[in-house]
Amino acid sequence: MIKALSLFELNSLVADVIDSTMSRSYWVQAELSEARENRGHCYMELIEKNEGSNAPIARASAKCWSNVWMLIKPAFIRMTGQEVRAGMKVMLQVHAQFHPQYGFSWIVDDINPEYTMGDMMRKRQEIIRQLKAEGVLELQKELHFPIFAQRIAVISSETAAGYGDFCNQLETNEYELYFHVELFPAVMQGDHVEQSIINALNQINSREDDFDCVVIIRGGGATADLSGFDTLSLAENVANFPLPIVTGIGHERDESVLDMVSFQRVKTPTAAAAYLIDHLASTLMRVENAQTQIVDSVRRALEVEKMRIQHIGIHIPVLFSVVRTKQEARLDGLSQRLLMKLKETMKQTNFHLSTLQSRILPTLQNRLSIEQHRLEILEQRARLLDPSLPLKRGYSITLCNGKTVRNAKDLKIGDTIITRLEKGEVESRVERLS
């Protein structure tokens, strides 16, 4: 009969083997697929991926007990500026532990923050290399910052203290300059930083003509977790944005890829406000200087013109006398020439009229004789057509309704007719027609 071990006995055996053969600690490189804290302990899921296919080729669980975690966590954050999170590559010092009840796990004794910093730097350098290859790393620097930059689009957390400080500094600036600020809320910490800021940029881009520049600020609290500002997609969006972008998302020692591609990087939200105020104040100074220069130039020009007018005024009497003499002589000359010209023209005109008269008079006399003879002929014809002549010879004219009757058919029984004789008229009524 085969004697079997209980599961507890088997696990205890495995625990003894591991304790005896793997008693020392090991440094291991891995990526965190999960990292969470519970009651002061940190529970991690480690993963290694194939470089070609990015498929997982190894997995393991790891735990860091609270007595160790409370020591290594602050040191890690202080050096890297970030908390331990999923997606981060880490170098852990671990030792093996197999518990009969809970199974196998790696127990974390330490974390090497320099390795994580190196990996972060490698990722950042890769993003920068990609931006240079695309030719967009310096695009923002080539933009022209408007000299009257007063319409400001702000991307920030609505409740961030830094946003309040930014607005307050703009409103209470010593030059009493006016700024119009419109907030486009975005998540400024955590896993959603990238997409949230890109969404805000898209909203601003749809209203590009309403703004002069964009300010991305992140104020208040620690500077940990700046990884959301070190992504290729966000950097490309900022680099290609049509308006100049000012960033104030960290302290002096923190420079993200977003800072590198922006038009201007400043330390804090208040520094961003100071940058805008100083820029507009510089414009105001230029305007005031130009105003002063214009006033001075006009004043000098007026003085020069005044002196010139005074100089001319002194010489006007003499000049006028000379000009008057010249003009009077000129007018006399013109008058003599005009008079001579007029006499010559009148002489020529009189001669022309005499010539025309000598030519026209015979023609008119001949024409008048012809027309007079023609009128005499017409007068004779008119006399021959005088209706009173037939009446003197014994003829009569019959009228009906004032019209001459030429045909008996034009009359009807009952019509009243008038017969006009040489002397007098006879009125008749038609009784019969034949």
Side-chain angles (χ1 to χ4, degrees):
M1 182 177 180
I2 299 175
K3 184 178 181 181
L5 297 173
S6 68
L7 179 59
F8 179 80
E9 290 174 333
L10 180 60
N11 284 351
S12 298
L13 181 60
V14 172
D16 292 339
V17 172
I18 289 176
D19 288 341
S20 60
T21 59
M22 301 182 65
S23 58
R24 67 184 184 89
S25 295
Y26 303 89
W27 284 100
V28 60
Q29 301 173 8
E31 180 180 331
L32 296 176
S33 62
E34 183 181 343
R36 55 187 176 84
E37 292 187 47
N38 186 20
R39 297 181 180 180
H41 310 300
C42 183
Y43 298 89
M44 310 174 192
E45 292 295 327
L46 308 181
I47 190 171
E48 182 179 350
K49 297 179 180 178
N50 185 290
E51 293 184 2
S53 63
N54 209 35
I57 57 174
R59 294 179 182 273
S61 296
K63 302 179 181 69
C64 186
W65 305 124
S66 59
N67 60 326
V68 177
W69 183 243
M70 65 183 298
L71 298 176
I72 64 176
K73 176 183 175 181
F76 183 84
I77 294 176
R78 186 172 59 256
M79 291 192 65
T80 64
Q82 300 190 55
E83 294 187 5
V84 173
R85 56 177 177 79
M88 181 179 288
K89 288 188 176 181
V90 292
M91 179 182 286
L92 307 175
Q93 185 182 32
V94 298
H95 68 268
Q97 184 183 75
F98 191 91
H99 193 279
Q101 183 177 357
Y102 301 110
F104 180 83
S105 63
W106 293 104
I107 305 302
V108 178
D109 300 321
D110 199 0
I111 301 179
N112 183 0
E114 294 180 357
Y115 173 83
T116 302
M117 289 178 64
D119 181 68
M120 290 164 56
M121 186 59 67
R122 284 191 297 272
K123 288 182 179 179
R124 181 176 296 182
Q125 291 302 321
E126 176 60 25
I127 292 173
I128 294 171
R129 186 199 63 77
Q130 180 67 25
L131 293 173
K132 287 182 178 179
E134 295 174 3
V136 300
L137 184 65
E138 298 292 330
L139 283 183
Q140 274 278 312
K141 304 295 189 298
E142 298 173 5
L143 295 178
H144 173 69
F145 202 82
I147 60 174
F148 293 98
Q150 295 175 280
R151 303 172 301 163
I152 316 300
V154 178
I155 299 177
S156 179
S157 173
E158 190 170 8
T159 59
Y163 171 64
D165 295 339
F166 174 83
C167 293
N168 182 63
Q169 186 157 342
L170 289 183
E171 292 173 1
T172 59
N173 69 87
E174 60 179 310
Y175 306 100
E176 297 183 352
L177 300 171
Y178 171 76
F179 293 89
H180 171 73
V181 177
E182 184 171 343
L183 175 66
F184 291 82
V187 176
M188 304 305 287
Q189 186 169 346
D191 297 334
H192 304 291
V193 170
E194 176 189 61
Q195 192 56 50
S196 182
I197 295 179
I198 291 175
N199 291 339
L201 288 172
N202 290 337
Q203 294 178 48
I204 298 170
N205 191 40
S206 66
R207 296 171 51 196
E208 176 187 348
D209 294 336
D210 294 341
F211 303 102
D212 299 315
C213 66
V214 179
V215 175
I216 302 177
I217 50 178
R218 173 184 180 269
T223 60
D225 197 14
L226 292 174
S227 60
F229 302 99
D230 284 334
T231 68
L232 178 62
S233 180
L234 179 57
E236 289 173 335
N237 272 269
V238 170
N240 288 284
F241 204 73
L243 296 176
I245 295 178
V246 178
T247 57
I249 57 176
H251 298 296
E252 180 64 32
R253 66 184 181 85
D254 303 306
E255 183 179 29
S256 64
V257 174
L258 182 62
D259 290 321
M260 298 176 67
V261 299
S262 66
F263 178 86
Q264 178 67 40
R265 181 249 178 172
V266 295
K267 301 177 186 178
T268 60
T270 52
Y275 176 82
L276 296 173
I277 294 169
D278 291 344
H279 178 79
L280 195 56
S282 175
T283 300
L284 176 61
M285 185 178 298
R286 289 171 59 188
V287 171
E288 291 175 343
N289 290 339
Q291 180 181 356
T292 302
Q293 292 175 5
I294 291 172
V295 171
D296 291 342
S297 297
V298 171
R299 184 181 293 111
R300 286 194 298 270
L302 288 174
E303 290 174 353
V304 171
E305 290 302 314
K306 184 178 179 180
M307 294 174 61
R308 191 171 71 86
I309 291 172
Q310 289 174 348
H311 179 73
I312 293 174
I314 295 173
H315 292 81
I316 281 178
V318 177
L319 293 173
F320 179 74
S321 178
V322 173
V323 172
R324 180 180 178 180
T325 303
K326 289 183 179 179
Q327 292 301 321
E328 285 177 348
R330 181 172 174 272
L331 287 174
D332 289 340
L334 290 174
S335 178
Q336 294 296 326
R337 289 169 58 189
L338 181 60
L339 186 59
M340 293 176 62
K341 187 68 176 179
L342 182 59
K343 289 180 179 180
E344 182 181 351
T345 302
M346 290 182 65
K347 183 179 179 181
Q348 291 177 353
T349 302
N350 288 333
F351 177 77
H352 183 63
L353 289 175
S354 298
T355 304
L356 290 176
Q357 184 178 4
S358 64
R359 292 179 181 177
I360 292 174
L361 189 58
T363 303
L364 288 176
Q365 290 175 346
N366 185 43
R367 184 67 180 177
L368 286 172
S369 297
I370 293 173
E371 291 301 323
Q372 186 174 3
H373 179 69
R374 182 171 172 271
L375 287 174
E376 290 173 354
I377 293 174
L378 291 175
E379 184 180 2
Q380 291 178 2
R381 289 180 180 178
R383 283 198 300 267
L384 292 174
L385 293 175
D386 186 356
S388 64
L389 294 178
L391 295 179
K392 291 180 180 180
R393 292 196 295 270
Y395 293 98
S396 63
I397 299 175
T398 302
L399 302 173
C400 180
N401 296 326
K403 297 181 179 180
T404 304
V405 179
R406 301 178 183 277
N407 193 333
K409 293 181 180 181
D410 294 334
L411 301 174
K412 59 182 180 294
I413 296 173
D415 285 345
T416 299
I417 62 175
I418 296 174
T419 302
R420 182 175 295 172
L421 306 173
E422 179 184 1
K423 295 181 180 180
E425 295 180 349
V426 178
E427 184 176 319
S428 308
R429 185 181 295 278
V430 178
E431 296 292 342
R432 183 173 58 84
L433 296 172
S434 58

